[in-house]
Amino acid sequence: MFVGKLAVHCIVWDMEAEGLFEHLCCPVTEIKCLQFTQEHKDWTVEHWNKVMWFNESCFQLHHADGRVRIWRKQHESMQPTCMSTTLQADGGSVMVWGMFSWHDLGPLLCVEQHLNSTTYLSIIAGQLHPIMLMAYPNGDGFFQQDYAPGHGAHIVQEWFQEHEGNFTLLRWSPQSPDLNPIEHLWNEAKRAIRQLVPQPSNLTELTVLFIRHGVRFLASPFDI
């Protein structure tokens, strides 16, 4: 019986590594996703045009996250074309925070790798709030944020409650990164940087390139 359960787990692990295993949502997540769908099923394009999309993205200096897979024959494992050099911690990475809407472009900021609630609150108060006031002076805008741990902190929620007359906090669907259009823009920016010759050699160069290409794609999100 133990062997059978272990074999099943091994199969699941292998399927996950190959991207073939679909995770099932827990009942609470299913309920929240259904609520989000029901609340927004009648939204028009005009409603979505008033959403300020937010997200952060991490970009590594020498390699993208995850494994590198290639097609090779059995005897080719040690050939240079089938090998890749490694570097401890992949040479480091930068975390970039950005936001945009249909009408307006927010700033791109380099933030700490582990964004805590205090740092997040300073970004919300110092960067988001002025932009929302300028973009939606009537208070009819929406701000989208995901369920990252720092986003739900008590001090952050208190700040949103104090400023609820300036804009509406969009209740987001959990485990739904594909619904956020800014994710596609991050991918395009990363792809553009990976095609550059020469590649950035340090984190300072990477940061400059990432912000430059991130701004370019955020400034024209519907042309890519």
Side-chain angles (χ1 to χ4, degrees):
M1 188 71 178
F2 173 76
V3 175
K5 289 184 177 180
L6 180 61
V8 171
H9 285 302
C10 291
I11 293 173
V12 171
W13 292 335
D14 289 340
M15 292 178 67
E16 288 178 335
E18 296 296 331
L20 300 175
F21 186 79
E22 181 179 358
H23 292 275
L24 299 178
C25 294
C26 67
V28 175
T29 300
E30 290 181 350
I31 292 174
K32 290 183 177 179
C33 290
L34 180 59
Q35 289 177 342
F36 178 85
T37 302
Q38 293 175 337
E39 291 173 359
H40 301 89
K41 63 182 178 64
D42 296 325
W43 270 33
T44 64
V45 174
E46 293 182 357
H47 287 99
W48 293 111
N49 285 352
K50 295 181 179 180
V51 177
M52 186 68 72
W53 303 97
F54 151 83
N55 199 255
E56 67 275 354
S57 182
C58 183
F59 195 75
Q60 291 182 310
L61 179 60
H62 291 297
H63 201 278
D65 295 331
R67 300 177 179 178
V68 177
R69 293 182 172 84
I70 61 170
W71 288 102
R72 64 171 177 81
K73 297 180 180 179
Q74 187 174 1
H75 64 279
E76 296 178 340
S77 60
M78 300 303 295
Q79 291 189 8
T81 55
C82 299
M83 301 176 66
S84 176
T85 58
T86 60
L87 187 66
Q88 185 176 4
D90 290 327
S93 59
V94 295
M95 182 75 76
V96 179
W97 183 97
M99 63 179 178
F100 81 104
S101 70
W102 178 273
H103 304 286
D104 299 277
L105 173 65
L108 275 176
L109 304 174
C110 290
V111 297
E112 300 176 2
Q113 291 291 333
H114 301 287
L115 190 64
N116 57 34
S117 57
T118 303
T119 306
Y120 181 64
L121 179 59
S122 67
I123 295 176
I124 294 297
Q127 302 292 334
L128 168 71
H129 193 214
I131 293 177
M132 295 298 290
L133 292 176
M134 178 182 63
Y136 308 104
N138 297 326
D140 57 348
F142 299 87
F143 174 65
Q144 174 272 333
Q145 67 172 8
D146 55 25
Y147 284 85
H151 299 176
H154 183 67
I155 58 174
V156 175
Q157 295 305 311
E158 279 188 342
W159 187 92
F160 279 123
Q161 292 176 3
E162 294 174 358
H163 298 83
E164 60 184 1
N166 300 138
F167 59 88
T168 300
L169 182 62
L170 182 63
R171 183 187 301 175
W172 195 237
S173 177
Q175 298 183 11
S176 304
D178 54 317
L179 292 180
N180 191 341
I182 202 172
E183 295 286 356
H184 304 288
L185 303 183
W186 291 139
N187 291 336
E188 291 294 335
K190 292 179 180 180
R191 186 177 296 110
I193 293 176
R194 283 298 168 213
Q195 294 175 351
L196 295 178
V197 179
Q199 285 286 292
S201 59
N202 54 60
L203 291 181
T204 300
E205 293 181 2
L206 176 63
T207 302
V208 172
L209 288 173
F210 194 81
I211 292 180
R212 180 186 304 166
H213 285 271
V215 168
R216 178 165 65 90
F217 286 112
L218 285 174
S220 55
F222 307 104
D223 295 333
I224 62 175

